[in-house]
Amino acid sequence: MGRIAQLSELVANQIAAGEVVERPASVIRELLDNAIDAGATKIDVTVSGGGLTRMEVQDNGCGMDEDDLVLSIIRHATSKLRTMDDFRKLHTLGFRGEALPSIASVSHMILRSRVEGHPGGIELRVTGGEKIDQAPIGMARGTRVTVEDLFYNTPARLKFVRSLQTEVSHITEVVTKRAMAYPAIAFTLKVDGKLTFLTPGSGDLTSVFLSLYGADVTKRALAVHGVRPDLRVHGLIGAPQDARTARHAMWFYVNQRPIRSQALQYAVIEGYGTALFKGRYPLTALFLEMDPALVDVNIHPSKLEVRFSEEQDVRDAVTRAIQAALMTGLYIPDLSEKESPADELLQLRERPHDDAYLSKQLAISDADGVDRMSYSASHHVQDSDAGGYESQSREGEFRQTCQVYTRVQSASSSPSTPLGAELAEALTRTPAREQTVSQEPVDDLQDRARLRPIAQALTMYVVAEDDEAVYLIDQHAAHERILYERFMKMAGAGTTQEQELLVPLTYSLTPAAFLRVMERITDAKRMGLVYEPFGEHDLVVRAVPLWWQGIPLDRMVQETIDTFLEDEGADQKTWEKRVILRACKAAIKANQRLSMMEMQALLDELSTLQNPFTCPHGRPTALRIGRDRLEKEFRRR
């Protein structure tokens, strides 16, 4: 007799349950997906004993008749698809036909359902995967699934269940993530008889954001909109000052399916760039809508892991969408905001997001024929000579919040505001190639409001004012941002000056490493790093970027070579870190006294930047105290 035997249906389902049902939250996830696929507009979730004792999900969806109800507990029975061709056009959350039989095999389950037009519903009782009873009942249209004594017949699984509080936390996360994806569905969550979460089902994403994060955070949230022929990106992101210390609040959805993706996390963080403090992670509710054929959701039974057919294109699209949102949404933190009324939270700087509007945002192809994505924003975005994006209308958020005139800058421009003698020396401490920009008439500049320095506080902060507020500007952070943008613009536009080395540096590489580094010789040259082959597998470095002064050259060159070997795009990130380091070292320091002329020059220079609101490390450059707040504190109103 052979040793191979076919497993029974019960054992097979219990094994499958180990993948599908990791914990109580897995049950809620699968039941919610079924309710959403059924077209529900109201879903109620009830949990007791951390979900181990009892869980119930009730919806008002299309329901199931008697035949479908019986089939629903049979493995691989599904209404979502019939062939693999259906899978390539999949628009439902569930499709594998494993959830209900897997849950039923490790619990006591009661399924109740009624379809429209039937006089009553059907109740089906299942224990350990076996049908125990079936009877007609009276109920409204929809489905109610009750799961009790989870893992009662698999005690080994109970050893891996965490505390009840932890399990409730996971369940809450599952419910809130679905609520964010489907704001038109009214969700409620009751834990041990207490209502802990609800949404109105209004269809407004902002209302769900408010339920999760409160009025102040929602008021500062930024709308994201981006579109290209095969991908639409939209959603809400938190302001940099509301970022968390962990990634748990970074939520992503593909075709409204909640997913986990490190690639998208990196894309968002790259989009925030220097606006985000190191080690902080922004609040994110980001939705990607794309052809189902371009994403694989069938990697794991949990359906949380996905693969994109063009992952790098998706990352680039997300990064640019985040950058566009921040361009219109960054502002100077206002110390008066704490008392902003909650009814103002809906005044988000949103743009229309209907398909007709989004279709107008399609970008013209680049010269090389590669489609780029264009984004809705209060300014126009175009490709610069360096291949990046530059603002063509810079009289936006900075002027609105601090009434500082912001000049138009092109990719090859440099600030032309006259600088005080001492500050000019500090700003040009690292020599750069001279560039020119057309100046506006002096009379025009004088007609525009700008910040006026009043004094220097604690030899660290410039105190300034306009007609409506008082500002505190961190002199080091502000100057650091000025130098950072100058250096990055030079590198991006290919204008970085080279400093020829008196004593060239040599490096020995393996044959494979040598070939890869030589492939990047043109990119390195554009950034100011000049090297050439020296022998069979050695390099000799002849020149380095001029702004590398003050940085250990040997270490910098080695790090750059290492990044060439690790990743084709990683060198730019390391380059940026070096720029930040150089800007930090060259910037004016705290405890350095400034004259009134120097302070005015610093403010004027700051007003010309692409992002004048944060230093390259993500710290704010300025704080604002409005006239209204001051008058209130001094009881003048």
Side-chain angles (χ1 to χ4, degrees):
M1 182 177 178
R3 294 180 296 171
I4 298 178
Q6 185 174 2
L7 294 175
S8 68
E9 188 71 17
L10 175 60
V11 174
N13 284 340
Q14 288 182 335
I15 292 174
E19 291 184 319
V20 178
V21 187
E22 298 179 67
R23 61 195 330 151
S26 305
V27 175
I28 298 296
R29 180 190 68 222
E30 298 293 345
L31 297 182
L32 286 180
D33 287 352
N34 285 342
I36 293 169
D37 288 341
T41 59
K42 188 176 188 301
I43 301 176
D44 299 318
V45 180
T46 305
V47 176
S48 299
L52 296 174
T53 303
R54 187 174 186 273
M55 292 176 283
E56 185 172 275
V57 174
Q58 181 173 355
D59 68 68
N60 64 349
C62 64
M64 293 180 283
D65 62 20
E66 183 175 356
D67 293 338
D68 285 344
L69 196 64
V70 173
L71 280 173
S72 69
I73 62 171
I74 297 177
R75 196 173 177 211
H76 300 313
T78 178
S79 62
K80 313 299 172 61
L81 54 82
R82 294 290 184 270
T83 67
M84 283 306 295
D85 186 58
D86 295 332
F87 181 76
R88 286 188 287 270
K89 299 178 291 185
L90 192 66
H91 290 281
T92 57
L93 298 177
F95 56 88
R96 299 171 67 103
E98 291 182 308
L100 286 180
S102 296
I103 296 168
S105 68
V106 291
S107 69
H108 301 293
M109 176 187 285
I110 305 173
L111 296 96
R112 303 177 181 91
S113 192
R114 177 192 170 191
V115 297
E116 190 71 40
H118 281 225
I122 301 294
E123 178 182 277
L124 186 67
R125 292 180 176 268
V126 184
T127 295
E130 298 290 338
K131 185 175 76 171
I132 302 301
D133 189 28
Q134 179 178 332
I137 59 169
M139 63 176 294
R141 190 195 75 170
T143 301
R144 183 164 79 243
V145 181
T146 305
V147 177
E148 298 176 336
D149 300 325
L150 185 65
F151 301 138
Y152 81 98
N153 57 350
T154 53
R157 296 300 304 276
L158 289 173
K159 297 178 182 179
F160 297 95
V161 174
R162 302 291 183 88
S163 68
L164 299 185
Q165 185 176 1
T166 299
E167 298 305 326
V168 169
S169 174
H170 285 284
I171 290 172
T172 303
E173 181 180 358
V174 168
V175 176
T176 53
K177 282 187 175 181
R178 264 58 180 182
M180 188 74 79
Y182 294 89
I185 300 177
F187 286 84
T188 63
L189 172 62
K190 290 184 178 179
V191 178
D192 295 325
K194 182 180 179 181
L195 181 65
T196 61
F197 177 76
L198 80 160
T199 61
S202 63
D204 183 7
L205 181 63
T206 307
S207 65
V208 184
F209 211 82
L210 170 65
S211 298
L212 291 173
Y213 301 119
D216 286 339
V217 171
T218 304
K219 178 175 176 289
R220 292 188 291 268
L222 306 174
V224 178
H225 298 300
V227 67
R228 56 187 268 175
D230 57 353
L231 175 64
R232 178 190 173 203
V233 182
H234 64 99
L236 290 175
I237 57 174
Q241 60 264 41
D242 295 318
R244 304 300 196 247
T245 57
R247 294 180 174 88
H248 62 84
M250 299 182 72
W251 294 359
F252 301 98
Y253 304 85
V254 173
N255 297 334
Q256 292 186 282
R257 178 189 303 278
I259 65 166
R260 289 193 297 251
S261 173
Q262 282 192 343
L264 295 184
Q265 288 180 0
Y266 293 145
V268 169
I269 293 172
E270 186 175 353
Y272 272 82
T274 57
L276 197 65
F277 194 71
K278 184 179 180 180
R280 307 284 289 187
Y281 303 95
L283 302 175
T284 307
L286 207 61
F287 298 83
L288 280 65
E289 295 181 12
M290 58 196 307
D291 186 340
L294 300 178
V295 57
D296 184 3
V297 300
N298 193 29
I299 296 175
H300 189 273
S302 69
K303 294 166 288 189
L304 291 174
E305 309 292 337
V306 300
R307 283 199 188 100
F308 299 105
S309 61
E310 301 292 342
E311 183 175 283
Q312 189 57 51
D313 288 348
V314 173
R315 286 183 59 170
D316 291 344
V318 170
T319 297
R320 294 185 182 186
I322 298 297
Q323 290 172 341
L326 291 171
M327 286 288 287
T328 61
L330 285 179
Y331 64 99
I332 294 178
D334 193 331
L335 299 184
S336 309
E337 283 185 346
K338 296 297 183 182
E339 297 188 1
S340 297
D343 58 7
E344 295 181 4
L345 65 95
L346 296 180
Q347 304 300 318
L348 288 176
R349 293 174 290 276
E350 293 203 37
R351 295 289 180 269
H353 50 273
D354 56 279
D355 292 336
Y357 174 81
L358 290 170
S359 64
K360 297 178 183 178
Q361 306 302 314
L362 297 179
I364 301 174
S365 296
D366 289 334
D368 58 3
V370 180
D371 286 337
R372 304 288 291 275
M373 179 179 281
S374 169
Y375 300 95
S376 58
S378 63
H379 61 282
H380 301 292
V381 177
Q382 70 172 17
D383 285 341
S384 70
D385 293 338
Y389 285 1
E390 291 291 336
S391 171
Q392 288 296 98
S393 176
R394 294 296 306 149
E395 293 183 13
E397 193 68 15
F398 195 68
R399 188 175 177 217
Q400 293 172 11
T401 55
C402 46
Q403 301 299 308
V404 175
Y405 168 59
T406 304
R407 288 177 306 202
V408 177
Q409 287 187 309
S410 68
S412 62
S413 69
S414 65
S416 60
T417 305
L419 301 177
E422 295 179 32
L423 189 56
E425 190 278 331
L427 287 170
T428 57
R429 194 173 301 154
T430 301
R433 181 175 297 172
E434 290 298 324
Q435 298 170 330
T436 60
V437 63
S438 59
Q439 290 187 334
E440 297 200 15
V442 174
D443 291 341
D444 187 31
L445 291 178
Q446 292 174 343
D447 291 338
R448 299 177 184 270
R450 66 174 184 173
L451 288 185
R452 302 179 294 270
I454 301 172
Q456 186 181 24
L458 307 176
T459 61
M460 294 174 62
Y461 306 102
V462 175
V463 183
E465 67 173 357
D466 62 12
D467 295 336
E468 298 298 330
V470 174
Y471 299 84
L472 290 176
I473 295 92
D474 185 321
Q475 63 190 42
H476 174 74
H479 193 204
E480 190 178 11
R481 166 56 68 172
I482 291 168
L483 295 180
Y484 166 79
E485 289 204 9
R486 175 176 294 181
F487 293 153
M488 287 299 293
K489 190 170 296 183
M490 289 165 53
T495 59
T496 305
Q497 281 191 325
E498 303 163 4
Q499 173 65 59
E500 189 171 345
L501 300 179
L502 294 177
V503 181
L505 303 173
T506 58
Y507 295 88
S508 296
L509 303 174
T510 65
F514 176 80
L515 293 175
R516 292 182 63 183
V517 172
M518 290 307 298
E519 289 176 353
R520 308 301 300 278
I521 191 169
T522 302
D523 295 335
K525 169 69 174 176
R526 183 178 61 83
M527 296 176 180
L529 181 63
V530 179
Y531 58 80
E532 59 188 41
F534 184 70
E536 290 189 6
H537 307 305
D538 293 346
L539 292 180
V540 58
V541 177
R542 302 289 186 185
V544 298
L546 190 59
W547 60 265
W548 277 16
Q549 292 179 5
I551 303 175
L553 295 182
D554 191 64
R555 186 184 70 185
M556 183 60 184
V557 173
Q558 185 63 61
E559 287 183 1
T560 304
I561 291 175
D562 289 342
T563 55
F564 284 161
L565 300 176
E566 292 172 3
D567 181 22
E568 292 185 358
D571 56 296
Q572 185 62 36
K573 204 64 182 175
T574 297
W575 208 263
E576 185 176 2
K577 291 179 181 178
R578 297 302 98 190
V579 170
I580 292 174
L581 175 63
R582 181 64 184 131
C584 184
K585 288 182 176 293
I588 53 178
K589 304 297 187 292
N591 301 319
Q592 183 173 337
R593 293 195 176 277
L594 303 179
S595 68
M596 295 297 289
M597 182 181 295
E598 291 168 344
M599 287 187 279
Q600 184 67 71
L602 184 69
L603 298 179
D604 289 344
E605 185 90 357
L606 187 66
S607 72
T608 67
L609 301 184
Q610 187 180 47
N611 169 21
F613 310 106
T614 64
C615 79
H617 303 288
R619 291 188 290 268
T621 57
L623 296 175
R624 179 182 187 276
I625 307 175
R627 177 192 292 271
D628 291 345
R629 178 61 181 269
L630 289 172
E631 291 181 350
K632 181 176 180 180
E633 293 296 331
F634 284 103
R635 307 188 190 282
R636 299 180 64 90
R637 54 179 298 178

